Amino acid sequence: MVVPEAAGTLLDALRDHLGVRSPKDGCSPQGQCGCCTVLVDGAPRVACVTPVRRVAGRSVTTLDGLPADQRAAWADAFCATGASQCGFCTPGIIVRLAGLRAKDPQADDAAVGRSLAAHLCRCTGWRTIHEAWAAVRDGRPKGSRDLEAASRRATIEGRTPQQVGHEVALGEGGFADDGAPADALVAVPDGQGGWAVGETLAAARATAGKVQGRRTTVPVEPPLALPDGDWAVTLRTSWVEPAYLETDASWCAPGRVPASPLGNGGAFGGKVHSPVADAARLLADAHGRAVRVLLSREDTVRLGPKRPPIAVGMRSDGTGVLRAVRTPGLADVVRAIAPTITLEEVDVPGPPTSMDARAAGWAELALLRAGLAGVAGAVRSPDGAVAEASVADGRIEVRVACGDPLDEVVLRSYCIGAAHMAFGWVTSEGLAVDGDGAVHDLTIRSFGVVLALDTPEIDVEIVHDDGPPVNGSDAVFVAVATALWVERGCPPDLPDTVRARRGGSR
Ligand code: FES
């Protein structure tokens, strides 16, 4: 098939003109997440910022185009090590590693980390991706697995239906936008609360007058002041982006059921109430044609729910005041786990907040309690999982008991991912939101998700237990955040370092 020059970017040409759906769109046209990485004449390129005219006459290789034995080896390795959870980032990462392997088949961990600097993965915490590389490099045979049990554990950890298998690593995990028919209309938010519709993504974005978001110099600031009081320990948190890699997407044919944006989640509480499926159904009926509804990275940041920012002071007897951005469900959590804390909910201009965010409310209160005690002990989650973490010499060590593991590879992967997320929440993640509530950090790199090279070693010990399986990774998230916060001297504001990184002032 000949692709017209007007096809726009290489990613548009691959996904929309040629129907090649393994390169994913996590941030186009920002070129920052690496999900659309392909090889151009053997060299990795980010397809969403590569004009298609620039590759005329050159060889373009996607994950689908790798030799079958290589594809199988990478899929085996990613599945065997738990290096792919939602799988949205994985095709781009495999293509990157295949390019590295062609140049340097014995590349060490540091070289792999440098090559992963062009990518973001929100789910795995990177360690298992390094292990997948080593498994391919060393030609390690794969062990046998009960993938049904593995999928059950992934579903418990992801809190949405999750699959485990080679198809996930190959980018075939069932993402909503991948199944859309080629001739579907495309709808994007028009900035006025409605939808701009076009024949292509580029046309819809042009109709919406979309301008690419930028990283801002506005500093990340906790939006709430501390309540007045004589506090033994205090904490303020900032706006934080869930930063799931697959932005919200759906499609629907007239009179049919829309594809769910949660097909293979990894959303950490995001996308649970996404507007895209309802919009796809309404637009398909209105236009009498299939319609794809897509949120760009900027749309997802502006419209998607955030963890509620808080400012809390606690006295040495455990009483205190928790001031928080008003969020449905927060009062129930505080009443259940900290009845001695008075909750003050306030209305603050900004993006929507949700208690669906991972461990929202109880993570923050666990930090305060550990701060009072001066030591991070074991945490018990509302699900009944128990986790404990320690931080020393740049390593994070985690122990978790959450019932029958079902599949240790998957459970370990989710626990490492949760530890990585906790590390980011404490040290680097934050979203700049001004006093009028406008979000200024609109690029995926500006959220502060920790890259492979900057992630500490994370060891996970899984306690053997025949009890009913419950979610363990949320407990790990809280245990690691608590251990890090205490180890850093209980800094009063989270994230602890982002302002220094951006040149802001305390
Ligand atoms: Fe990497 Fe989900 S597996 S973003």
Side-chain angles (χ1 to χ4, degrees):
M1 181 188 286
V2 175
V3 175
E5 213 174 277
T9 69
L10 177 55
L11 183 61
D12 294 335
L14 289 166
R15 285 189 63 87
D16 296 344
H17 290 264
L18 299 172
V20 179
R21 301 278 163 90
S22 65
K24 308 299 183 195
D25 179 357
C27 72
S28 80
Q30 296 178 354
Q32 293 192 353
C33 73
C35 295
C36 63
T37 300
V38 299
L39 300 175
V40 176
D41 291 340
R45 292 280 176 272
V46 184
C48 79
V49 289
T50 302
V52 71
R53 66 174 183 283
R54 200 164 308 148
V55 299
R58 303 174 72 183
S59 160
V60 176
T61 308
T62 67
L63 176 58
D64 311 274
L66 292 180
D69 59 335
Q70 284 188 31
R71 266 168 59 85
W74 287 112
D76 280 350
F78 270 68
C79 189
T81 56
S84 192
Q85 289 181 20
C86 79
F88 198 77
C89 69
T90 314
I93 287 176
I94 290 180
V95 167
R96 171 82 51 181
L97 295 181
L100 176 65
R101 189 160 160 71
K103 264 183 28 199
D104 182 5
Q106 297 303 316
D108 62 13
D109 236 25
V112 172
R114 284 193 297 277
S115 116
L116 291 174
H119 295 261
L120 285 174
C121 173
R122 185 50 156 172
C123 302
T124 64
W126 302 111
R127 186 71 249 146
T128 50
I129 296 175
H130 284 265
E131 291 164 3
W133 162 270
V136 170
R137 180 192 60 200
D138 302 342
R140 246 177 261 150
K142 61 187 165 91
S144 63
R145 301 266 296 284
D146 176 353
L147 292 182
E148 194 275 329
S151 299
R152 276 174 57 212
R153 175 48 78 179
T155 297
I156 291 169
E157 299 305 324
R159 298 192 188 276
T160 63
Q162 306 274 308
Q163 310 167 37
V164 175
H166 292 180
E167 71 282 4
V168 176
L170 295 173
E172 296 162 4
F175 297 105
D177 194 48
D178 291 352
D183 61 350
L185 290 167
V186 183
V188 301
D190 65 1
Q192 317 289 323
W195 300 95
V197 181
E199 288 290 336
T200 64
L201 178 57
R205 284 179 172 173
T207 303
K210 260 200 184 310
V211 178
Q212 185 177 344
R214 298 199 192 295
R215 183 173 183 151
T216 181
T217 53
V218 173
V220 170
E221 293 285 357
L224 297 175
L226 280 176
D228 290 335
D230 189 11
W231 309 119
V233 61
T234 65
L235 175 67
R236 298 193 306 158
T237 63
S238 305
W239 300 98
V240 175
E241 169 60 27
Y244 42 85
L245 265 286
E246 180 206 17
T247 57
D248 304 41
S250 182
W251 73 273
C252 192
R256 305 292 290 275
V257 176
S260 164
L262 295 171
N264 205 317
F268 321 111
K271 291 196 281 191
V272 177
H273 304 292
S274 176
V276 293
D278 285 346
R281 188 201 307 260
L282 289 173
L283 290 167
D285 289 346
H287 288 271
R289 283 174 63 181
V291 178
R292 296 160 62 196
V293 177
L294 300 172
L295 299 196
S296 67
R297 181 53 55 185
E298 299 97 323
D299 298 324
T300 300
V301 182
R302 288 196 178 102
L303 303 174
K306 316 295 175 233
R307 182 181 201 89
I310 58 123
V312 57
M314 199 179 269
R315 301 180 190 91
S316 51
D317 64 359
T319 60
V321 177
L322 173 69
R323 183 173 286 163
V325 174
R326 190 181 306 284
T327 306
L330 176 59
D332 295 338
V333 169
V334 174
R335 204 176 304 122
I337 64 172
T340 55
I341 296 286
T342 302
L343 176 65
E344 267 183 23
E345 291 193 87
V346 292
D347 294 303
V348 174
T353 54
S354 168
M355 293 303 288
D356 292 328
R358 170 172 253 166
W362 71 273
E364 288 82 350
L365 289 166
L367 262 59
L368 270 285
R369 284 180 175 146
L372 271 187
V375 61
V379 300
R380 174 179 287 273
S381 74
D383 299 290
V386 177
E388 197 164 1
S390 60
V391 182
D393 303 328
R395 292 181 83 84
I396 296 173
E397 294 186 356
V398 182
R399 189 164 192 267
V400 62
C402 52
D404 183 348
L406 297 174
D407 183 278
E408 293 211 4
V409 171
V410 164
L411 179 55
R412 174 175 176 267
S413 171
Y414 276 81
C415 290
I416 293 173
H420 169 262
M421 187 184 274
F423 183 73
W425 183 48
V426 171
T427 66
S428 67
E429 291 192 35
L431 209 54
V433 177
D434 69 22
D436 295 327
V439 181
H440 286 258
D441 277 324
L442 297 172
T443 67
I444 195 164
R445 291 270 162 161
S446 62
F447 308 155
V449 175
V450 181
L451 298 178
L453 277 173
D454 302 324
T455 301
E457 291 280 331
I458 299 168
D459 291 327
V460 175
E461 180 189 346
I462 296 169
V463 177
H464 285 272
D465 183 340
D466 292 334
V470 295
N471 178 295
S473 50
D474 286 3
V476 167
F477 172 79
V478 177
V480 172
T482 302
L484 284 164
W485 194 62
V486 170
E487 192 257 349
R488 295 168 84 92
C490 303
D493 290 353
L494 294 187
D496 186 31
T497 56
V498 72
R499 274 174 286 205
R501 182 166 59 80
R502 288 185 181 161
S505 60
R506 278 186 182 269

